[in-house]
Amino acid sequence: MSRKITVLVIGAGNRGTTYSSYALFYPERMKVIGVADPQQPVRQKLQDAHQIPEENVFDDWVAAAEREKFADAVIIATPDRLHKAPAVAFAEKGYHILLEKPMAVTAEDCKEVVQACHSNHVILGVCHVLRYHPVTLMIKELLDAGLVGDICHIQHLGPVGFWHFAHSFVRGNWRNESESSFSLLAKSCHDIDLIRFWMGSKRCLKVSSFGRLSHFTKENKPEGAGTRCLDCSIEPHCPYSARKIYLERAEKGAFHWPVSVVCSNGGSDIETLTEALRLGPYGRCVYDCDNDVVSHQVVNMEFEGGATAAFTMVAFTEKLGVRTTTIYGTKGELSCKGEGDVEIFDFLQQKRTSFSPRTTPDIPASLNSHCGADYYLIHNFVSAVSESDPSRIPTSAEETLRSHLLVFAAEKARRENRVVVLETGRGNSHSQPAHTRGE
């Protein structure tokens, strides 16, 4: 790298802390010199970790944006609905931007973010972390080598995990669309992006989608259930019990995520956790929350040349994030589950071959999530800024925008019970009623 870069962190929660930890292990490459977060405990923790001077500590991103530019780049890891405004503001100040996904919660806002970065000649990296995942890259390499021939169909499953959905999408920050965004955008824009990545240059022409919120509704509340898990007589028989998800983990000494999320004041003891479950949102009965986002959804896509893809997001799974992918080609079939080997069955040879994703040792533990993809994401962004070379980020702002627009089109299709036809070469779409699908 040609020089060390300086970074301002907007949002000192899980992702902001993770990406900023790069500076602790590679101080010759990156230095965190500012932080903004409305929560004092997490703000203080990040300030202490990086020895940030008091004048560069803010409880509001707006105050940081009003200052003259004092860092090379900004990491924006705020809640979903607070992505667009700071991204545009800091782009106009000339900061290079690493922006947590999704870029924004509307198609127009996503376009505005990209335009602001273009207009101000700043680098934009969006945290589609799975683009850096060793399995993702191995699959792409094998497809590009032609080992399955022409792609005919991609089947991709995104299992959320039964307790994870209850944590994040029933009790947590992503439970209500008016406060965050819809499930497909919040949880699975990763996956739609991967399907586009694997399809290569083929553009998506049509999309349909179906899904709904199941089970986590007041109508499904068991008879005799309380409003809070710690005071509920049937809690021992509920798989979504907050006692099971949080307290039982903590009693074994596990205060990391998801337990760490429950105590917003940064406490890490049983008494603080118990009090948070008695009074806070994570102790509520899952059948008594203000959640409205869908728990399962399927997205069907047709690409140029007739190739198709089907993505399924579902809450009710044993595994959390152990994605299953099968890609059917004219010469073979590719399959992969989770972070294991990628297998290809060759039709001509009637032979199955396994390919192991590359592993990289010595990645710091805080950046080793997603098999080291967290490390590669922030490393590539730092390299891009340091070397003034946007190509170090493998997915451009325009490419990321196209993936986001496909997600919005899929949700439009679900809500309106329509096939959404994407207009070739343009960022807009139009819709056709479901009954015309046989065209």
Side-chain angles (χ1 to χ4, degrees), residues 372-395:
D374 284 2
Y375 165 81
Y376 291 113
L377 188 155
I378 182 64
H379 178 78
N380 281 33
F381 176 75
V382 171
S383 300
V385 174
S386 174
E387 300 167 15
S388 300
D389 182 7
S391 69
R392 294 299 298 266
I393 300 173
T395 173

Side-chain angles (χ1 to χ4, degrees), residues 355-382:
F355 300 85
S356 298
R358 296 184 181 90
T359 58
T360 304
D362 302 327
I363 291 176
S366 64
L367 291 165
N368 203 28
S369 183
H370 307 101
C371 288
D374 284 2
Y375 165 81
Y376 291 113
L377 188 155
I378 182 64
H379 178 78
N380 281 33
F381 176 75
V382 171

Side-chain angles (χ1 to χ4, degrees), residues 155 178 285 322 324:
Q155 185 79 38
S178 67
C285 173
V322 181
T324 301

